[in-house]
Amino acid sequence: MQSITSGKPVSSPIEVKGSVSLKNGQILIGKVNKVFPDQTAEVQIGHQKMIANLEIPLRTGERYWFQVKHPIEGGVVLKALDSPDLNVSGLKGTAAQLIAHLGMTPEPAATKLAEYLLTNRLPITKETFQSALQWLKAAEAAEAAEAVLPVIKSMFIQQLPFVKDVFDALFTQSKGEPFHKLLSDFKQQLQDIGAVTRTAVKLMEVLDSLHVVKQNQLQQNGLQNLVATWLDPDSTPEMKSGAFSLLQKTGLIPKGITESVFLKNLMDGAVARSGMAKNSVIDKLHQGLQLLSGAKNSAFAKVEEIETTINRILNGHDHEGANLPADIHSIQRKNISAEKLFPLAFQLLQSAFTEATAKKEKDGKIEVNDLIGYLNMDTEQIEESKGKAAELLFQSLNKLPEAQYVRINEKLVISHVLETELQTIDFTNGPSVAHQLKEMTKVLGLQLEHALINLSGEDMKEFPNDLETLKPLLLKLLNEQIPASIKEMAEQILNRITAQQILSQENGPIQNLLLTLPVNLGSIQTDLTLQWRERKTKDGKIDPDYCRVLFYLELERLKETIVDMQVQNRIIKVMVINGHGAVLEEAACQYFDMLRENLGKMDYRLSGVSFVKPENEKERDLRVKPIPFSEAGPYSGVDIRI
């Protein structure tokens, strides 16, 4: 990922010998420590000392307001404005002087901004002050002023372009609204208005690929998953009964009948289903049920012989016809009770389901739908059942009051179905996680600018695919005629994506990366925030020996959970910050040896894992703003080569 560079920096930095960077036009307070004969002086700005050229002689030991001017031969010229008025009381008086020097109108918002800039020793120019004041006033009108000043500070410290697009992106990020919720709400709004434009339709597809769960997704797959739980050979009896009960609540299976009665009705109605869609799965099921129906009505063979014939049908031998082998007809006929045939009927259903789901995804879904159609021939009822299944799942997912009327065994099934439907990443498989994260960064459009800058002519053939991702589609949607509510939400999501790009930047030999992705952990939707701070090797690659990785998750029961991993010379130290540290440590200690062993296989050494509560202010801040590296400031240092 590459950081965006839209807009220009506010001014070109002037390198001061032996000191930090200053900017043209910046106003600051400094103390003259020493005056030299060649119109230079040692000036102390805060804790920094510098040699500066002076336009006029000044007195040693006095404090002055200085304004930075253009450099001369690598140095810096400081223009003395006047001495701070010692008779003016404290910070408010100094802020008033600053506003006067900038030629601005004194007003409460300007005073508040000036005091903040002075207190935090941030660079001040008229241009940056005017921009920041405009943003502060707009935020005050929206009752969000408190979040503005820290964002402005972050822009200064990281030397980001001081433009509105960058501010809007970081300001939206600072609000801390869950990213997955923004995406889900946006998809719901698109669905409510009816996604009629091609851009809106493509956005719906992209949001689907991110597994942003809403009721329409559950409607597509929910009923299938209930049928799957009922027919899955690995389901417990409790799960099977819960799934059957839920299928009755959806109307797919008539209410008030037992599973045995339903299976009996299937056998009795096998002949009436002769006109159903034909495929290998349904054909085998149909042949088997016809066989059972004949066996029940005619009572002409042993159960064991019928079972043998059904196995032949399921294995693909006799499914062209349901007739029994000739040697079976010669067996003395007996009365066979329907109860003895029910397990065979259920076996047929399970085999049909297993075979259908084992096929390729597209074909498997078609055959599972055909299987549902075989269970209930009323197509209108099936559509209604899909809606009711989605409603049941959606109520539980969102913990709506209606969900409390669900029985215990039904709750087990709903939890299982939601977990099956929503789990998108296998977090036990490292390569799988890496692949999924890379794919999601592409889907979000985080690599759009990088592709525009770096793609060769040959690679540009694939570039249209990059335009079908979330960010470019949002940009395109904003240029179309859309309702104000849709536009506002599209801008928020666009700002969140842009903020990730802004905060993912190179800083000298250090690479910062910030990534927030919507993920599903079972039935829980949350955000996964990952932040890397890494050193680069001479060839520009990530140095695996030195880095810091921070994971941030909001979990249902554990709540705010932060994992801080630091790697120094391939020695790894892990700190888990959570309010339930003792419980987590007790649960996790059994895995420490396994972790140490597997890290050793990759030539890393684990120095320790600690569990702490978020007791201090810095750690509590992570809960609101999980980007602790964002205020680390620009890289400064000296490379020494011997």
Side-chain angles (χ1 to χ4, degrees):
M1 291 184 291
Q2 299 292 323
S3 61
I4 65 165
T5 54
S6 59
K8 296 181 179 179
V10 293
S11 55
S12 302
I14 301 172
E15 295 296 331
V16 182
K17 294 179 180 178
S19 181
V20 295
S21 297
L22 296 177
K23 300 182 189 299
N24 288 326
Q26 180 182 339
I27 295 177
L28 39 80
I29 297 176
K31 178 183 177 182
V32 178
N33 290 336
K34 298 176 184 178
V35 176
F36 303 109
D38 57 350
Q39 286 293 92
T40 60
E42 180 187 279
V43 177
Q44 182 167 336
I45 310 285
H47 298 293
Q48 299 289 336
K49 295 179 181 179
M50 62 193 74
I51 302 299
N53 294 283
L54 304 175
E55 289 188 330
I56 58 174
L58 301 176
R59 287 185 295 180
T60 304
E62 291 289 326
R63 292 183 179 275
Y64 296 88
W65 281 102
F66 292 104
Q67 186 170 33
V68 180
K69 299 188 70 174
H70 292 287
I72 298 177
E73 296 180 357
V76 66
V77 174
L78 296 178
K79 176 183 178 182
L81 300 177
D82 59 19
S83 300
D85 188 349
L86 299 179
N87 294 321
V88 178
S89 57
L91 182 60
K92 287 192 178 297
T94 308
Q97 283 186 302
L98 173 61
I99 292 170
H101 284 313
L102 294 172
M104 306 289 292
T105 303
E107 55 181 317
T111 301
K112 183 176 184 178
L113 177 60
E115 290 177 359
Y116 185 84
L117 296 176
L118 289 168
T119 301
N120 289 276
R121 302 181 184 278
L122 299 174
I124 304 166
T125 66
K126 185 170 184 177
E127 292 79 10
T128 59
F129 194 92
Q130 285 177 325
S131 296
L133 183 59
Q134 183 179 357
W135 302 335
L136 180 60
K137 286 181 177 179
E140 284 181 339
E143 299 182 355
E146 293 305 316
V148 171
L149 297 176
V151 172
I152 291 172
K153 178 181 177 181
S154 182
M155 292 174 70
F156 277 126
I157 289 176
Q158 297 184 72
Q159 297 186 358
L160 297 172
F162 212 78
V163 293
K164 190 174 186 302
D165 288 346
V166 173
F167 170 79
D168 286 343
L170 297 183
F171 183 61
T172 303
Q173 173 83 13
S174 71
K175 292 179 181 178
E177 185 171 359
F179 191 40
H180 72 270
K181 187 176 185 304
L182 278 176
L183 295 174
S184 294
D185 291 347
F186 182 56
K187 181 179 176 184
Q188 189 64 48
Q189 283 203 14
L190 288 176
Q191 182 182 328
D192 290 343
I193 65 167
V196 291
T197 69
R198 181 185 179 279
T199 306
V201 171
K202 291 300 298 182
L203 274 169
M204 293 280 285
E205 293 175 3
V206 169
L207 293 170
D208 274 335
S209 69
L210 286 169
H211 302 280
V212 179
V213 178
K214 293 308 281 183
Q215 195 161 357
N216 67 320
Q217 179 182 332
L218 296 175
Q219 186 159 343
Q220 291 175 6
N221 305 322
L223 186 65
Q224 284 194 1
N225 287 326
L226 291 180
V227 172
T229 307
W230 176 45
L231 298 178
D232 191 342
D234 295 328
S235 293
T236 64
E238 192 176 18
M239 293 277 281
K240 287 180 182 294
S241 66
F244 186 81
S245 177
L246 287 170
L247 287 172
Q248 287 184 306
K249 286 187 174 181
T250 68
L252 183 73
I253 293 175
K255 293 181 180 179
I257 66 171
T258 63
E259 184 179 87
S260 298
V261 172
F262 178 70
L263 293 173
K264 176 180 178 297
N265 292 341
L266 270 184
M267 290 188 292
D268 292 343
V271 176
R273 287 174 166 79
S274 298
M276 298 296 295
K278 292 292 183 180
N279 58 55
S280 61
V281 170
I282 299 301
D283 194 33
K284 290 178 183 179
L285 173 63
H286 185 61
Q287 299 291 341
L289 289 174
Q290 279 188 311
L291 174 69
L292 293 179
S293 177
K296 181 174 70 72
N297 295 326
S298 302
F300 56 82
K302 296 179 181 179
V303 172
E304 293 80 8
E305 299 294 350
I306 299 172
E307 191 172 345
T308 300
T309 307
I310 286 177
N311 287 332
R312 293 182 65 182
I313 291 174
L314 294 178
N315 291 328
H317 297 304
D318 277 354
H319 78 270
E320 290 300 325
N323 295 322
L324 290 170
D327 57 334
I328 291 181
H329 285 289
S330 64
I331 298 174
Q332 184 179 1
R333 298 181 179 184
K334 292 183 178 180
N335 289 326
I336 300 176
S337 65
E339 287 75 14
K340 292 183 179 180
L341 299 176
F342 294 156
L344 296 177
F346 195 77
Q347 180 189 346
L348 283 168
L349 289 175
Q350 283 188 323
S351 299
F353 165 76
T354 302
E355 185 177 341
T357 53
K359 299 195 173 186
K360 291 181 180 179
E361 184 178 358
K362 183 178 179 181
D363 294 336
K365 285 185 177 180
I366 292 173
E367 296 205 354
V368 171
N369 278 328
D370 288 344
L371 177 58
I372 291 174
Y374 193 91
L375 297 178
N376 190 318
M377 298 173 62
D378 187 342
T379 54
E380 291 185 4
Q381 178 60 61
I382 290 176
E383 289 305 312
E384 185 179 335
S385 296
K386 287 182 178 180
K388 288 185 177 179
E391 188 178 347
L392 286 167
L393 295 168
F394 195 64
Q395 287 169 358
S396 180
L397 179 65
N398 291 276
K399 297 180 174 59
L400 298 179
E402 297 90 330
Q404 64 183 316
Y405 300 107
V406 178
R407 301 172 188 168
I408 295 176
N409 61 345
E410 293 173 348
K411 286 182 179 178
L412 288 174
V413 175
I414 288 174
S415 297
H416 172 73
V417 168
L418 287 173
E419 185 171 350
T420 302
E421 181 65 23
L422 307 184
Q423 184 70 47
T424 59
I425 301 177
D426 180 7
F427 286 98
T428 65
N429 186 309
S432 171
V433 173
H435 174 74
Q436 289 289 341
L437 294 183
K438 288 179 182 177
E439 288 301 308
M440 291 182 81
T441 61
K442 291 180 183 177
V443 173
L444 289 176
L446 291 169
Q447 298 176 328
L448 176 66
E449 289 81 4
H450 177 69
L452 282 169
I453 295 171
N454 296 293
L455 283 181
S456 63
E458 185 66 26
D459 294 332
M460 286 299 288
K461 294 178 181 177
E462 300 296 323
F463 184 66
N465 295 330
D466 292 307
L467 295 178
E468 299 290 300
T469 56
L470 187 57
K471 182 174 182 178
L473 287 172
L474 288 171
L475 290 167
K476 187 176 180 181
L477 185 71
L478 289 172
N479 289 320
E480 297 177 355
Q481 294 294 324
I482 54 176
S485 59
I486 296 287
K487 181 177 182 180
E488 181 182 355
M489 192 160 286
E491 287 175 340
Q492 287 186 57
I493 296 171
L494 184 61
N495 284 334
R496 287 294 296 270
I497 296 172
T498 303
Q500 293 188 51
Q501 295 174 298
I502 292 171
L503 295 171
S504 300
Q505 57 182 316
E506 293 183 6
N507 190 356
I510 302 297
Q511 172 72 55
N512 290 319
L513 284 175
L514 174 69
L515 186 61
T516 298
L517 301 172
V519 295
N520 300 308
L521 302 176
S523 60
I524 304 304
Q525 290 180 277
T526 187
D527 289 344
L528 170 64
T529 296
L530 301 174
Q531 186 157 357
W532 290 263
R533 185 172 175 84
E534 307 156 316
R535 198 172 74 174
K536 293 185 294 184
T537 58
K538 294 177 183 178
D539 58 1
K541 296 181 179 179
I542 297 300
D543 188 345
D545 297 349
Y546 298 90
C547 69
R548 183 182 177 193
V549 185
L550 185 139
F551 305 79
Y552 177 90
L553 272 172
E554 174 77 21
L555 300 172
E556 183 183 22
R557 292 189 174 91
L558 296 178
K559 304 303 178 185
E560 299 87 6
T561 303
I562 300 155
V563 181
D564 191 356
M565 185 181 81
Q566 299 191 49
V567 183
Q568 293 289 323
N569 198 24
R570 301 189 79 83
I571 298 174
I572 296 178
K573 177 183 178 182
V574 179
M575 180 170 64
V576 181
I577 304 170
N578 184 272
H580 306 279
V583 176
L584 279 176
E585 185 171 10
E586 184 179 352
C589 63
Q590 59 181 312
Y591 301 105
F592 289 167
D593 290 342
M594 184 191 303
L595 176 62
R596 188 174 285 106
E597 180 184 347
N598 288 328
L599 285 173
K601 292 177 182 177
M602 295 185 287
D603 195 26
Y604 285 97
R605 184 159 64 88
L606 180 67
S607 69
V609 181
S610 59
F611 295 81
V612 299
K613 289 185 177 182
E615 294 175 348
N616 61 58
E617 194 64 34
K618 180 181 178 182
E619 288 166 352
R620 281 201 299 271
D621 284 347
L622 294 181
R623 178 174 60 189
V624 179
K625 183 184 178 185
I627 45 173
F629 307 148
S630 65
E631 295 187 1
Y635 172 81
S636 60
V638 179
D639 291 332
I640 301 176
R641 184 176 298 172
I642 300 177

